[in-house]
Every structure is written in structure tokens, then in C-alpha cells.
């Protein structure tokens, strides 16, 4: 039986593990209700909101009923089109009290959020579950979010560190 060349039959490299690109993982229970503020660092944060437009359905629903879950494809039948009238959560970047860009939550797709025209953070949602009770009031109804984020702020233009002396002369 012929064998493929080593160049083709070489095993594939593993994908980089989470955090190898400088990202940080955040997991948070949404016990304070929506919209929810999620702090990234001292200056930046995200606001998670879910615009519904119809409050009566949420008020009449069981508090533990799942309104949005990234673990369930939308729609569950992949040949059907997504419900454009359905609830779709959004993340908004807040930097130093100023509102930045807003993006829809899409599972596993990195979203770059900017404020004042500069790329600030990249967010990749790993899991999001929102229940009807979280939309009505604060409380533990099983809503949670998990995502990875990394800083995209450019480094300061300070250049390389200043030389300490002649590198060919050993230091005492």
C-alpha cells in the first residue's frame, strides 16, 4: 500500500489553548438581572442587554424558563432561517464612563469592540444562558455568561529600553 509523503501525513498541530493569546476568561452569574455590567479592569467594562420589545411574555413566563441559550442552535432546525423577531442579546463596551460599540452575542466568534475609533478589546463568548426571571428582576434564576477577552490597546511608543553600558564588557 502506498504511503503519503511525510509533509502531507504529518499530524496537525493542536489549536492554541485559551489564554495563549493573552486573553482572560470571565465567568459570571447574572444574579443582578439585565442589563448587567461586567467589569473587565479598572477602566473598562461590558454591558449585557437583551432588547425584547414585548414585556408581557416575560412577565407571564416561568422565571426559570430559558429565553436565550448559546448551547441551543437558533433555530434548532438548522435548515430553517433564524427568527429575526426573536430576542438577541448584545454586548456594549464602556470605557471610562463613555459608551463604545455594541455587538450581538454570537457563540465562538471574536468581536472587536472599539471606543472613540480605537480597537480596545476583543470578546469571544463561550456560553450565555438567560432566563425569564433574570429579565424581570435580580435573583438567582440560572442565568450566566462565560467569555474570553483580550486587550487590543496599542503599546506606548516608548521604544526599546535604554542600554545600560557596553554589552561586550562583563558587568561586575
Amino acid at each position: 500500500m502506498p504511503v503519503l509523503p511525510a509533509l502531507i501525513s504529518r499530524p496537525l498541530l493542536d489549536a492554541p489553548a485559551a489564554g495563549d493569546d493573552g486573553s482572560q476568561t470571565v465567568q459570571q452569574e447574572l444574579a443582578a438581572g439585565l442589563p448587567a455590567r461586567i467589569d473587565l479592569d479598572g477602566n473598562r467594562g461590558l454591558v449585557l442587554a437583551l432588547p425584547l420589545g414585548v414585556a408581557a411574555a416575560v412577565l407571564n413566563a416561568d422565571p426559570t424558563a430559558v429565553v436565550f441559550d448559546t448551547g441551543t442552535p437558533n433555530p434548532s432546525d438548522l435548515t430553517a432561517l433564524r427568527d429575526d423577531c426573536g430576542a438577541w442579546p448584545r454586548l456594549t463596551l464602556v470605557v471610562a464612563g463613555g459608551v463604545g460599540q455594541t455587538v450581538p452575542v454570537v457563540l465562538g466568534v471574536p468581536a472587536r469592540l472599539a471606543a472613540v475609533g480605537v480597537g480596545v478589546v476583543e470578546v469571544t463568548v463561550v456560553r450565555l444562558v438567560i432566563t425569564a426571571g433574570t429579565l424581570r428582576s435580580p435573583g438567582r434564576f440560572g442565568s450566566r455568561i462565560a467569555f474570553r477577552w483580550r486587550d487590543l490597546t496599542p503599546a506606548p511608543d516608548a521604544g526599546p529600553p535604554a542600554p545600560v553600558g557596553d554589552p561586550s564588557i562583563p558587568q561586575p
Side-chain angles (χ1 to χ4, degrees):
M1 175 174 187
V3 177
L4 294 174
L7 183 63
I8 297 174
S9 62
R10 188 171 35 187
L12 298 173
L13 296 175
D14 291 334
D20 287 353
D21 59 353
S23 65
Q24 300 176 29
T25 302
V26 174
Q27 296 182 8
Q28 182 171 327
E29 185 177 350
L30 303 172
L34 287 185
R37 166 107 185 197
I38 304 163
D39 291 327
L40 301 177
D41 57 21
N43 193 29
R44 296 174 289 193
L46 297 172
V47 174
L48 174 66
L50 183 63
L52 288 176
V54 181
V58 173
L59 293 173
N60 295 332
D62 177 30
T64 59
V66 176
V67 175
F68 185 86
D69 186 359
T70 55
T72 305
N74 182 18
S76 54
D77 177 13
L78 296 178
T79 60
L81 297 175
R82 181 170 69 89
D83 180 12
D84 291 334
C85 298
W88 206 263
R90 304 182 73 71
L91 287 170
T92 302
L93 179 66
V94 177
V95 178
V99 177
Q101 287 183 326
T102 299
V103 294
V105 171
V106 180
L107 178 68
V109 177
R112 293 184 179 207
L113 295 165
V116 193
V118 178
V120 178
V121 295
E122 181 180 79
V123 177
T124 305
V125 175
V126 177
R127 179 72 182 195
L128 175 62
V129 176
I130 299 174
T131 60
T134 303
L135 294 173
R136 291 197 302 231
S137 64
R140 296 180 186 265
F141 300 106
S143 296
R144 62 194 173 281
I145 186 169
F147 62 90
R148 290 188 313 270
W149 75 278
R150 66 185 178 119
D151 187 8
L152 297 179
T153 306
D157 190 18
V164 182
D166 189 350
S168 64
I169 301 174
Q171 299 292 322

